[in-house]
Amino acid sequence: MAQKARGFESHSLRSLTWDFLIARRFVSIDLGAIDYKLTTVSGVRGTKAEIAPGVWRLRVYAGRRPNGTPIQISKMVHASERKPGAGARLADRELAKLVSDVATGKVSAGKETVETLLDLWLDHCESIGHSPTTMRKYHQLADAVVRPELGKVRLSKLTARRLDTLYSKLTARGNKPLTVRRLHTVISAMLAQGERWSMVDDNVARKASPPPVHAEQIKAPDVAQVQALIAEAEKIEPMLAALLFIGALTGARRGELCALRWSDVDWQAGVVSIGRSVYETKGGGWGEKPTKTHQVRRVGVDEVALEVLRRHRAQVDKLAGDLHLKVPPDAFIFSRSPVGSEPVRPDVVSKFVPRVAKAAGVDTHLHALRHFSATQLIAGGHDVRTVAGRLGHADAAVTLRVYSHVLPERDREAAAALGRTLALPK
């Protein structure tokens, strides 16, 4: 009997109940498409949810653990087409079979593997809106390490010691502590979600001991080095030279610089609005996403920055005019298209900087321009909250932690100022 629940359609299949209401779409089971015997197993309950176009998550209730938490047997079904509703009947058949297998003991609690949870967790992360860049990094770690090293391990058999053995193995292979720490973060997040889903009794990653990471002092280029870098870039590709100049003046992230459009510049107020970031997709494509804080920040720029943008715009207009084209108001500022129809790719910029830096005799990289902006502002006496706002840090504590090495000099200046205020009488 069908009933409406928050805009989703749910249907009962004899003892089929909906234990979780966390998916984006529930779809009915087509009784005519499956063997009726597989759907009339008494006392076993299951759910089916489409968590992404053509991707279905199946769960079957398999009793309770001694501590009272429910046991869920999970399975993912991927349709051949990635569009909404695709593979619904296939998911119905697989769910009915899973219900039957659990009821007859062919599948029992405790047999779920790390790979099963990994797939569920990755799909869940995507469904709740994790950025494409983050998801690409998750998939890289999953395919390079988690699947080959832990994929076949049963969740019930996974221990902190096994994780520590893996971390030691990766460290012995020459992986940096930070790299191993990132893997640990992924495994920990996956197991934490599995704990919330009652797929694991305990997140063993909490007891594991990944290698410690000692914070390295940020090395930012000085003014002369940044000037040399930009001058060399101007000889090779003026458009990218302008991007580096604006990056040094605003402290914007790589993807944020690539996403800037002419409509983001307020020439009168001297403000650039930063509200998007460009990311790369498989096959050389690109897309746009919100900034890390999902907020638009307005960064003040002075006459120097505005003049850099004016000169760059003049070059853009000249090229477009020579081709009898017109640049739209919302065209990308930094683009290899004559009308700014698409942004320069972030990886293009990242690869460009080392080449230019080598030619200029400067040991630096793209992200160092962000450090340059931050350290120059802090060293110049500007408060950390203002610097955090320009960088797009949601919390000024992040700025303090990353650039704490700059503060001792400011502390000495503050001490000298106090000393002059309370100077001893002669």
Side-chain angles (χ1 to χ4, degrees):
M1 180 177 179
Q3 60 180 2
K4 292 287 183 180
R6 297 185 185 179
F8 297 129
E9 273 192 28
S10 63
H11 297 260
S12 62
L13 178 60
R14 190 157 180 166
S15 58
L16 182 67
T17 61
W18 303 103
D19 297 319
F20 295 91
L21 214 57
I22 62 173
R24 295 186 297 181
R25 178 181 178 186
F26 288 87
V27 183
S28 63
I29 292 181
D30 183 354
L31 295 178
I34 53 180
D35 186 346
Y36 180 73
K37 292 181 181 179
L38 297 179
T39 69
T40 57
V41 181
S42 177
V44 179
R45 296 175 292 174
T47 65
K48 180 190 70 172
E50 186 178 32
I51 62 174
V55 181
W56 302 85
R57 178 175 57 213
L58 313 180
R59 286 180 179 161
V60 173
Y61 175 74
R64 292 186 176 274
R65 296 181 175 86
N67 63 4
T69 60
I71 300 170
Q72 299 285 339
I73 306 299
S74 303
K75 182 177 181 179
M76 298 297 297
V77 174
H78 296 263
S80 56
E81 294 182 280
R82 295 299 296 270
K83 65 180 184 180
R89 292 195 174 189
L90 172 63
D92 289 340
R93 291 193 293 272
E94 291 296 324
L95 177 58
K97 184 176 185 304
L98 190 59
V99 167
S100 177
D101 288 345
V102 170
T104 57
K106 293 181 180 178
V107 176
S108 60
K111 288 188 177 181
E112 301 100 321
T113 64
V114 170
E115 189 167 34
T116 299
L117 175 58
L118 178 64
D119 287 334
L120 289 169
W121 177 71
L122 289 171
D123 286 325
H124 173 69
C125 288
E126 190 165 355
S127 70
I128 62 176
H130 283 211
S131 77
T133 301
T134 298
M135 291 307 304
R136 185 166 65 248
K137 291 177 180 176
Y138 284 171
H139 280 288
Q140 287 172 348
L141 284 173
D143 295 339
V145 183
V146 182
R147 292 187 199 281
E149 297 288 347
L150 301 173
K152 303 305 179 184
V153 177
R154 291 186 183 182
L155 290 171
S156 58
K157 300 295 183 181
L158 185 64
T159 63
R161 182 179 179 183
R162 182 146 195 169
L163 293 181
D164 286 341
T165 300
L166 173 60
Y167 300 156
S168 297
K169 178 180 178 181
L170 294 173
T171 301
R173 287 178 180 173
N175 290 281
K176 294 181 178 179
L178 182 58
T179 302
V180 180
R181 272 275 177 180
R182 286 172 179 160
L183 172 67
H184 171 72
T185 300
V186 167
I187 293 174
S188 182
M190 175 191 70
L191 293 175
Q193 189 62 52
E195 194 175 32
R196 287 189 285 271
W197 285 338
S198 299
M199 292 182 67
V200 296
D201 292 326
D202 185 30
N203 180 357
V204 297
R206 284 195 293 260
K207 303 172 185 177
S209 304
V213 176
H214 303 291
E216 295 182 3
Q217 182 171 308
I218 296 297
K219 183 180 179 182
D222 58 29
V223 175
Q225 290 174 324
V226 172
Q227 289 174 333
L229 181 73
I230 294 173
E232 194 64 36
E234 182 72 29
K235 299 175 185 176
I236 302 173
E237 191 164 355
M239 179 270 292
L240 291 179
L243 182 149
L244 298 182
F245 210 135
I246 298 301
L249 292 174
T250 63
R253 299 178 179 91
R254 177 184 70 164
E256 294 171 344
L257 291 168
C258 295
L260 288 177
R261 297 173 183 264
W262 290 113
S263 54
D264 294 325
V265 182
D266 187 332
W267 300 95
Q268 298 301 318
V271 170
V272 173
S273 297
I274 301 176
R276 299 173 303 279
S277 180
V278 167
Y279 66 91
E280 298 186 58
T281 60
K282 291 181 179 179
W286 62 276
E288 289 184 279
K289 62 180 180 179
T291 60
K292 277 194 173 183
T293 59
H294 289 258
Q295 294 179 342
V296 177
R297 67 183 188 276
R298 289 168 57 81
V299 178
V301 291
D302 70 346
E303 188 56 34
V304 173
L306 292 176
E307 182 60 24
V308 170
L309 291 173
R310 287 192 194 99
R311 292 181 182 182
H312 175 52
R313 181 57 192 257
Q315 293 175 337
V316 170
D317 287 338
K318 183 179 184 306
L319 176 60
D322 291 343
L323 297 173
H324 306 290
L325 300 172
K326 186 176 180 180
V327 180
D330 65 342
F332 287 100
I333 295 177
F334 304 114
S335 172
R336 284 175 169 171
S337 161
V339 294
S341 59
E342 61 179 28
V344 63
R345 303 294 194 271
D347 278 356
V348 169
V349 186
S350 292
K351 293 175 182 177
F352 176 74
V353 173
R355 180 161 61 96
V356 173
K358 183 177 181 180
V362 178
D363 181 16
T364 191
H365 52 86
L366 177 60
H367 200 70
L369 294 180
R370 181 170 165 84
H371 298 326
F372 166 82
S373 183
T375 54
Q376 288 293 318
L377 289 173
I378 295 174
H382 298 280
D383 66 275
V384 175
R385 186 170 295 279
T386 298
V387 178
R390 290 181 67 85
L391 296 177
H393 287 162
D395 188 346
V398 175
T399 313
L400 279 170
R401 184 172 66 251
V402 175
Y403 301 104
S404 60
H405 66 284
V406 185
L407 299 177
E409 183 63 32
R410 299 299 307 148
D411 181 64
R412 286 189 291 272
E413 292 176 11
L418 286 172
R420 289 192 296 269
T421 303
L422 298 176
L424 291 173
K426 295 181 180 179

